[in-house]
Amino acid sequence: MGLFDAIDVAGSGLAAERLRMDVTAGNLANAQTTQGANGQPYRRREVVLQEASGQSFGSLLASASSSPVNGVQVAGIVEDPSDPRRVYDPGHPDADAQGYVTLPNVNPVTEMVDLISASRSYEANVTAMQTAKQLFSKTLELLR
Amino acid sequence: MSLFDATQLSLEAALRGSSLRQTLLTDNLANVNTPGYQRKDVDFHAELASAMQSGEALDTVSFSPTSDSARVVRADGSGIDADQESAELAKNALEYQALVSIAGTRTNILQIAMGVR
């Protein structure tokens, strides 16, 4: 149990927020993709985060000193089940018999908001990590 | 008065408590986007004060973190307000630095008394 735990925990937060940013960027990039990997229109993806269960040696050691600190981990990346957008565009090669094209259920505005949220959370974790680092070097100065 | 008196021991205990609190607050910030996350904190001031009152040995006093299940501030069931956590983190960091400065000064005083400096 020490300040290095704080740095590890902030690190897990950085990794989680970066993945959120990656997935959001993927959604934005595929906002108009009518042919996904399975031939269907792309579906919006979302990262589900959960509190880390803590199976590492460090966390077991921490639990021995009655500390519940584990950080965050990714529970999975899930597809958004909401209905896709349908746009009338008879000239589109993927248009159906009625002339409607099925576009991904990606709303660029939602994605931008998610992107800002991930970016701000990332910054918060960077600040927490910097603070822990500062405190640790301050403690080391006691030895001088 | 022994070399390491009650003040020195309680300073060390406070440093331990403050360091634990820093880790817990960092954990809260890392879980800022975790749905249903319960906020963690430790009131090491109160635990240290009660240990001092009951005459418990200060160098072995341990602090127990708590998680607040009643507190929900967001629609996804999370109890974390990022701004509040950042503010608490900054406050706790300052307190830790103050404690380290005091501990350092006290060590210096001892060194001067021993003629090391």
Side-chain angles (χ1 to χ4, degrees), chain A residues 23 26-27 30 33-36 40-45 104-106:
Chain A
V23 169
N27 287 339
N30 283 296
T33 304
T34 51
Q35 295 174 10
Q40 295 291 308
Y42 178 84
R43 276 196 171 277
R44 173 174 183 268
R45 292 185 188 138
N105 53 352
V106 175

Side-chain angles (χ1 to χ4, degrees), chain A residues 10-86:
Chain A
S12 76
L14 289 183
E17 298 304 336
R18 181 176 285 270
L19 182 69
R20 273 185 78 209
M21 229 181 281
D22 289 350
V23 169
T24 311
N27 287 339
L28 270 176
N30 283 296
Q32 308 292 330
T33 304
T34 51
Q35 295 174 10
N38 54 0
Q40 295 291 308
Y42 178 84
R43 276 196 171 277
R44 173 174 183 268
R45 292 185 188 138
E46 208 168 1
V47 177
V48 181
L49 299 179
Q50 69 182 23
E51 206 181 338
S53 53
Q55 294 302 314
S56 70
F57 174 71
S59 60
L60 283 175
L61 204 64
S63 68
S65 59
S66 79
S67 159
V69 186
N70 299 314
V72 64
Q73 72 183 19
V74 176
I77 298 174
V78 294
E79 288 195 340
D80 185 343
S82 67
D83 290 334
R85 279 180 298 147
R86 283 173 60 77

Side-chain angles (χ1 to χ4, degrees), chain B residues 95-106:
Chain B
E95 183 172 356
Y96 185 90
Q97 293 188 26
L99 288 168
V100 170
S101 300
I102 299 167
T105 309
R106 285 181 61 85

Side-chain angles (χ1 to χ4, degrees), chain A residues 127-128 131-132 134-135, chain B residues 14-15 17-19 21-23 25-26 29 39 41-45 82-100:
Chain A
T127 311
T131 313
Q134 240 170 29
L135 295 187
Chain B
L15 274 172
S18 181
S19 149
R21 179 146 198 258
Q22 190 75 16
T23 312
L25 294 176
T26 306
L29 264 184
R39 182 176 187 278
D41 206 341
V42 58
D43 192 356
F44 70 93
H45 292 117
D83 300 319
Q84 215 175 342
E85 296 304 323
S86 304
E88 289 298 329
L89 197 76
K91 261 161 53 184
N92 189 61
L94 280 176
E95 183 172 356
Y96 185 90
Q97 293 188 26
L99 288 168
V100 170

Side-chain angles (χ1 to χ4, degrees), chain A residues 114-134:
Chain A
D114 278 357
L115 205 61
I116 293 170
S117 154
S119 160
R120 291 286 175 267
S121 308
Y122 191 90
E123 283 170 26
N125 278 295
V126 169
T127 311
M129 192 184 260
Q130 264 171 353
T131 313
K133 211 176 73 182
Q134 240 170 29

